[in-house]
Amino acid sequence: MTRKRVLSGIQSTGESFHLGNYIGAIRQWISLQEDYEVFYFIADLHALTVETKPEILSKRTLAAAAQLLALGVDHKRSAIFLQSHIAAHNQLGWVMECMAGFGEASRMTQFKDKSQKNGADRTVVGLFTYPMLQAADILLYQADLVPVGEDQRQHIEITRDLAGRFNSRYGTTFNLPEAFILKSGGKIFDLQDPTSKMSKSSGSTNGVLEIMDDPAKNVKKIKGATTDMGKEVRFNEVEKPGISNLLTIQSALTGKTIPQLEDAFEGVGYGDFKSAVAEAFVTYFSPIRERALNLLEDEPALIQILHEGAAKARVEAEKTLNLAYTNLGLVR
Ligand code: TRP
């Protein structure tokens, strides 16, 4: 029996993923390897839509790769690669741009939001064509499932629309992928402002746990997390958003359920509870951080792993690109 195929991409926006990235997405990427054939890549071409210093872009890209491997993406079983290593992404991207309507692309909310915020003159065309490159990313691998956050739902929808349109005009070429929307159950909030999502773009960095940071720094952040009125360790997102967030974190890190944790911390004060969360965090992430640092120490070996991933992925991508070109009537 052939396994269904999963594909996803992630943009690296810094030198470290934060806890929200891990619990919200990467952890689920890793468990999908058990039952699916997976292709995971770092969307370094999409990252070009934001101007970044070259040395920073390359550092971030390698850091992302090292972290994915350290967190459990298994390069023996799965293909882990860089988007820019496979020319077919751009090649099929152009084809997708020729399938998409201008109006349809203009209605994409990510484009609308960002271009409204920054003004048309400061919006690059790549931000407009972003969804068509993303469609190519997905369709090249004939993916069945695309694990993404809720904010990417519209990008999967347009991918399906473009694939369906292509198939009906030129004959069946692409599998129609489905979004596999990652559970928001484990949603992690900012430690300082526990009503907003943990995110790099939030005001202060004190609320964001970066997994590559020095453990002592994260311990300090956890101990300084905003808590709530009262003194019981109970899950109640409305009345106790701070404590609830720490309970969600503790549950994700220890595998215990929230009710089990509430029982275990019955009568324990906030301070001691936070110390326990800090300890769990360090226990969980220290070995991962060490592994990532080790991988980063030998850059040629890390890049070699990415080349091997690209070689696996390229076979699939080129097969699909060839079929699409042939069906379009491009002379082969
Ligand atoms: N747009 C995605 C994000 O910002 C990243 C991405 C690029 C992606 N290509 C993809 C995700 C293909 C899934 C499939 O998170």
Side-chain angles (χ1 to χ4, degrees), residues 109-137:
T109 51
Q110 178 180 292
F111 171 73
K112 278 200 302 190
D113 291 350
K114 294 198 179 171
S115 59
Q116 262 164 23
K117 210 168 94 195
N118 301 322
D121 286 338
R122 273 190 287 152
T123 299
V124 295
V125 174
L127 203 56
F128 184 68
T129 58
Y130 186 117
M132 283 61 86
L133 179 59
Q134 183 162 347
D137 296 340

Side-chain angles (χ1 to χ4, degrees), residues 7-11 41 43 46 83 110 130 133-134 137-138 146-148 151-152 155-156:
L7 170 131
S8 199
I10 194 164
Q11 271 198 60
F41 66 93
H46 277 115
Q83 187 183 29
Q110 178 180 292
Y130 186 117
L133 179 59
Q134 183 162 347
D137 296 340
I138 298 168
V146 186
V148 284
D151 63 331
Q152 295 294 314
H155 287 156
I156 312 304

Side-chain angles (χ1 to χ4, degrees), residues 88-309:
H89 289 243
N90 301 76
Q91 292 169 300
L92 189 67
W94 171 253
V95 174
M96 289 299 133
E97 286 173 33
C98 295
M99 292 294 123
F102 193 83
E104 170 178 53
S106 309
R107 285 190 295 275
M108 299 301 288
T109 51
Q110 178 180 292
F111 171 73
K112 278 200 302 190
D113 291 350
K114 294 198 179 171
S115 59
Q116 262 164 23
K117 210 168 94 195
N118 301 322
D121 286 338
R122 273 190 287 152
T123 299
V124 295
V125 174
L127 203 56
F128 184 68
T129 58
Y130 186 117
M132 283 61 86
L133 179 59
Q134 183 162 347
D137 296 340
I138 298 168
L139 299 175
L140 277 175
Y141 299 95
Q142 307 287 5
D144 298 298
L145 291 176
V146 186
V148 284
E150 181 59 42
D151 63 331
Q152 295 294 314
R153 193 189 284 278
Q154 203 184 22
H155 287 156
I156 312 304
E157 285 302 312
I158 197 173
T159 300
R160 290 174 60 90
D161 290 347
L162 296 173
R165 195 172 305 158
F166 189 105
N167 287 349
S168 68
R169 283 188 199 161
Y170 303 105
T172 304
T173 307
F174 302 117
N175 186 46
L176 263 55
E178 268 176 53
F180 178 88
I181 300 295
L182 300 167
K183 305 186 277 274
S184 63
K187 197 160 163 191
I188 305 301
F189 297 90
D190 188 288
L191 298 180
Q192 290 298 316
D193 172 12
T195 54
S196 61
K197 214 171 109 177
M198 186 174 283
S199 144
K200 283 270 166 68
S201 48
S202 69
S204 110
T205 57
N206 279 340
V208 181
L209 298 171
E210 311 237 30
I211 67 184
M212 292 305 283
D213 266 349
D214 200 298
K217 194 162 162 192
N218 283 319
V219 165
K220 211 166 146 204
K221 287 182 182 178
I222 294 170
K223 291 197 173 164
T226 303
T227 45
D228 315 289
M229 301 281 286
K231 48 186 192 226
E232 260 137 59
V233 178
R234 290 253 160 257
F235 192 88
N236 182 331
E237 280 182 305
V238 180
E239 282 167 26
K240 289 172 170 275
I243 290 296
S244 302
N245 187 36
L246 291 173
L247 278 166
T248 305
I249 294 173
Q250 186 72 350
S251 164
L253 297 177
T254 61
K256 302 219 167 77
T257 64
I258 303 267
Q260 283 170 342
L261 292 172
E262 287 174 331
D263 280 349
F265 288 99
E266 174 101 63
V268 174
Y270 286 170
D272 287 341
F273 171 55
K274 286 199 229 173
S275 297
V277 177
E279 196 186 312
F281 185 91
V282 172
T283 306
Y284 196 97
F285 285 107
S286 289
I288 290 170
R289 176 171 176 269
E290 287 301 314
R291 271 203 297 280
L293 289 173
N294 283 339
L295 287 160
L296 286 168
E297 242 164 54
D298 190 352
E299 264 184 30
L302 177 57
I303 292 171
Q304 178 59 27
I305 291 176
L306 296 171
H307 280 295
E308 283 164 20

